[in-house]
Amino acid sequence: NKKTYILSGDKIMTYLAKILKPRLSIFALNEDGLYYDLKSKKLIYELKGENPIISKNNLDVTGGMTRKVQEATEISKMGMNVFFVNGNKPERIVKAVKNRKFEGTVFRGK
């Protein structure tokens, strides 16, 4: 029907998690993780079932941070830990994978 759709990489993460059932999932961001607010940049280190309220960005057709949080929440409901890590600091990704203390946000699997 000559229709075009956008499939976000964040949505693909959820599909892959359902099929592959990895022990964890990592979203590499250009930020350190989720913040309580953007002014203070105070980091949310851990979420255990909470659904944080994210301000919507209508300019990002893939869903932006709102989509990432939705998908991370969905993946964590499957029992996997989901990490939001600054991809510009690869040592943080390594620490998250090795289950060490890292600077970022983790959605605890249920």
Side-chain angles (χ1 to χ4, degrees), residues 64-99:
M65 192 59 84
T66 303
R67 168 70 74 175
K68 285 176 183 17
V69 169
Q70 288 171 344
E71 300 305 331
T73 302
E74 186 71 23
I75 295 167
S76 71
K77 287 178 183 176
M78 293 181 231
M80 291 165 243
N81 288 336
V82 181
F83 298 87
F84 280 13
V85 181
N86 191 328
N88 295 316
K89 299 179 180 177
E91 67 279 0
R92 293 183 183 177
I93 296 171
V94 172
K95 286 180 180 179
V97 169
K98 292 183 175 182
N99 206 18

